[in-house]
Amino acid sequence: MQHTIVMTGASRGIGRVAAEHILRRSPDVHLLVVARESAGASLAAELAAGGRTVSHVAADLGSLGSVRSAAAEIRDRLERGDLPPLRGLVGNAGMQYTNALTEGPDGLESTFTVNVLANHLLVRLLQDRFAAPARIVITASDTHFGDFRHNMGMVPGPVWTSPDVLARPGAFPRPGGTGAGRTAYSTSKLAAIYLVHEYARRLPAGIDAVAYNPGLVPGTGLARNAGPLTRFAMRRVLPVMTLTPFATSPGTAGRCLADVVLGTTKAPTGSYVDRDRVARSSEESYDPQRERQLWDAAERFTAAHVL
């Protein structure tokens, strides 16, 4: 049966690989990619090669107003029947900055906006348009564990505090440095898992929410805002690690993401999928009080943009 999957972060890296897999393995899918306007049009045209059904909606995920406009367009297209029933949302877009001071148009720190609030606003604005059974997949990261085993010492672990602080520039010590930017990233990925747990509690039956961890994936565009040495290492040095159990190639990570989206990897709502299997996330990631506090804060930060 024809159905729609909305996807962010499909333009490069594991998202691009996952999009190709989804379209190849599920010919009934209408894949709707959310991306910046010029990039989205070319991406949709490339993915549609061979007769696949792909369209795009323009959005800057660093702007909650832009996310709202994109969601409104998706809702309108669903209501008009221009899109088949909505059965999937893939929040794969992610950003890591070289500091914790980057501020978006909403006055909020950009890592938190893109990695947490943009996904939340999309979920909330589209939740009454999902046709069960449906699945929401949010890309997380094993950097949220904060230990050497999971991040090889390259990313500091999360530093949790009030979401009202985390959402503002300068939430971490020495906010102008790379370490603070990476801490903002790992903390945002912990926040994503907290929200997945809340979605599992709050969304209607038949709408599942799952966190997906691709592992350490060298060679993607995540570090595109990093310094030249880090970018060189991500592109030229760390890819060798994909020959070991410590890293995942973009091809493998993208295929595993597609498996989660399409349900090939069985995962109950609220679960954490580590590449190709359901696993436990960090002990810190199971905290109902933090989850409720983050939900309440995310609702406040996005309230002005709810339709």
Side-chain angles (χ1 to χ4, degrees):
M1 180 180 296
Q2 286 281 329
H3 60 279
T4 298
I5 294 176
V6 174
M7 185 174 186
T8 70
S11 61
R12 58 170 64 88
I14 68 172
R16 179 60 179 264
V17 175
E20 294 279 3
H21 274 277
I22 290 167
L23 290 165
R24 184 166 61 250
R25 292 159 50 189
S26 185
D28 290 337
V29 164
H30 182 130
L31 186 65
L32 178 60
V33 294
V34 180
R36 292 179 184 272
E37 189 158 2
S38 58
S42 59
L43 173 63
E46 292 169 10
L47 290 172
R52 299 162 176 171
T53 307
V54 186
S55 60
H56 81 285
V57 169
D60 173 3
L61 298 179
S63 162
L64 296 179
S66 181
V67 174
R68 178 194 184 279
S69 296
E73 182 175 341
I74 294 169
R75 289 173 62 92
D76 288 346
R77 291 176 63 182
L78 287 165
E79 290 169 5
R80 292 196 306 265
D82 295 342
L83 292 172
L86 178 62
R87 295 193 185 275
L89 170 62
V90 188
N92 179 63
M95 185 59 71
Q96 179 177 304
Y97 292 90
T98 56
N99 58 65
L101 294 172
T102 306
E103 183 176 316
D106 303 283
L108 303 173
E109 196 274 323
S110 293
T111 312
F112 196 85
T113 300
V114 174
N115 296 359
V116 182
L117 296 179
N119 286 329
H120 184 70
L121 187 56
L122 279 173
V123 169
R124 297 292 279 141
L125 292 177
L126 296 178
Q127 87 172 54
D128 65 340
R129 290 295 179 263
F130 282 102
R135 174 169 279 195
I136 297 165
V137 180
I138 305 297
T139 298
S141 166
D142 51 12
T143 60
H144 86 277
F145 280 89
D147 57 17
F148 185 84
R149 173 172 169 260
H150 288 90
N151 63 30
M152 305 299 291
M154 292 183 290
V155 180
V159 178
W160 192 262
T161 185
S162 164
D164 291 281
V165 174
L166 296 174
R168 303 292 179 181
F172 306 101
R174 299 178 182 173
T178 301
R182 292 175 179 170
T183 302
Y185 176 79
S186 62
T187 305
S188 75
K189 292 303 184 177
L190 177 60
I193 297 172
Y194 285 151
L195 283 180
V196 164
H197 294 164
E198 281 296 297
Y199 298 148
R201 295 186 186 103
R202 295 172 183 262
L203 293 177
I207 305 176
D208 294 344
V210 176
Y212 167 69
N213 168 45
L216 173 62
V217 187
T220 69
L222 181 62
R224 57 189 175 273
N225 288 321
L229 184 59
T230 299
R231 294 200 306 272
F232 176 80
M234 287 293 287
R235 288 197 310 267
R236 303 297 183 187
V237 180
L238 293 179
V240 177
M241 291 180 61
T242 61
L243 301 176
T244 76
F246 299 106
T248 313
S249 70
T252 297
R255 175 181 54 78
C256 289
L257 174 56
D259 287 342
V260 178
V261 174
L262 296 176
T264 305
T265 297
K266 305 301 180 184
T269 188
S271 61
Y272 176 83
V273 177
D274 182 11
R275 284 158 277 202
D276 61 356
R277 61 187 177 85
V278 174
R280 279 188 66 81
S281 48
S282 70
E283 291 306 314
E284 186 181 9
S285 70
Y286 299 94
D287 190 323
Q289 182 177 0
R290 287 183 181 180
E291 291 161 6
R292 287 192 298 271
Q293 289 173 344
L294 178 59
W295 173 277
D296 291 343
E299 291 287 281
R300 283 189 281 105
F301 287 131
T302 59
H305 303 283
V306 175
L307 299 172

